[in-house]
Amino acid sequence: TYGDWSSDVCSSDLLDIIPSNTIDDKAGYPIELGVAMNGNGLTFAKLVRPATCWTEWNEESERLHGCSRQKLITDGEPARKIAKELNQLFPNQTLYSEHWQRDQRHLDRLYEVAGIVPQLKVECIKRILNKTQSKAWSSSRRRVLELTGLSPRRADTSALITRSTYLYSLAPQTFESRFAFKRDSDYQQNMTAA
């Protein structure tokens, strides 16, 4: 979406995990994982099939994220498979997250039930931000949501929003001009096709 510029400035992988319980941050288990990878626009997204010991369910969280427990049972992948895949994709790497403590807790739960040792770790996105970026993070995120129209209901989209916010915080004018160019190009393409 953002071309070579974004891969040059955002080489970090950004993680988001959707928990089964969004009301109590310490409760629940992971239901979906999303990673915006290496600034190249690619995402890793997986629904997590609930382990037999993961019995708690929160209806309000289901309404918020639009993902039922039955959908997870039917379409989700086993924790062991996802844990292995994460270790293969991100060996000895750090994934950055806006909600790193929650995401680390849920990642730990995934690896624990999978019986696998994690080969990655989660850190707070603020570790790679300077003071100016950190102070402007909330307003940058709001602007990204306005520009993109994205909704953080799903983990991969939420990770993309974090990535876009990081890019915006680095160079707001460049982000806005590249986004405006893409939006205008899409508009012209749609008009030509009509």
Side-chain angles (χ1 to χ4, degrees):
T1 303
Y2 312 108
D4 294 335
W5 170 74
S6 64
S7 57
D8 290 343
V9 298
C10 184
S11 61
S12 299
D13 298 310
L14 303 166
L15 170 76
D16 189 66
I17 298 177
I18 304 292
S20 64
N21 186 334
T22 56
I23 308 307
D24 179 358
D25 234 8
K26 293 188 170 118
Y29 48 88
I31 64 169
E32 184 178 22
L33 288 92
V35 181
M37 301 188 307
N38 280 332
N40 60 13
L42 296 177
T43 59
F44 171 88
K46 298 289 179 176
L47 289 176
V48 183
R49 184 178 305 145
T52 53
C53 60
W54 293 345
T55 57
E56 175 202 332
W57 189 249
N58 183 286
E59 300 293 327
E60 190 171 331
S61 294
E62 179 178 328
R63 281 190 299 279
L64 179 65
H65 298 296
C67 195
S68 69
R69 185 170 168 85
Q70 186 56 49
K71 179 172 179 56
L72 295 174
I73 292 167
T74 305
D75 298 340
E77 296 183 29
R80 187 168 182 79
K81 181 178 183 227
I82 294 170
K84 282 182 179 180
E85 223 174 316
L86 287 168
N87 279 352
Q88 288 171 350
L89 285 170
F90 309 107
N92 304 312
Q93 290 185 36
T94 300
L95 304 182
Y96 294 93
S97 169
E98 282 188 86
H99 311 287
W100 69 277
Q101 290 175 320
R102 179 200 70 191
D103 288 349
Q104 183 66 64
R105 257 192 312 279
H106 290 298
L107 198 61
D108 290 346
R109 288 181 183 136
L110 178 91
Y111 276 97
E112 181 182 343
V113 80
I116 295 175
V117 175
Q119 294 181 8
L120 56 98
K121 68 178 184 173
V122 180
E123 290 284 348
C124 181
I125 185 92
K126 292 196 175 193
R127 286 196 175 254
I128 59 173
L129 302 180
N130 64 36
K131 286 181 183 179
T132 304
Q133 289 172 292
S134 190
K135 284 170 103 174
W137 187 261
S138 294
S139 61
S140 296
R141 190 173 198 282
R142 277 192 303 277
R143 183 64 181 142
V144 163
L145 292 173
E146 288 171 12
L147 287 169
T148 64
L150 294 172
S151 170
R153 288 174 51 112
R154 302 304 297 262
D156 58 340
T157 306
S158 186
L160 281 173
I161 291 167
T162 302
R163 177 179 169 269
S164 296
T165 303
Y166 178 70
L167 291 171
Y168 186 92
S169 75
L170 287 171
Q173 292 173 333
T174 303
F175 184 94
E176 293 218 21
S177 67
R178 289 182 181 265
F179 195 86
F181 174 77
K182 183 191 179 332
R183 188 176 55 236
D184 292 344
S185 297
D186 289 349
Y187 175 76
Q188 288 173 354
Q189 200 171 31
N190 289 339
M191 292 304 288
T192 307

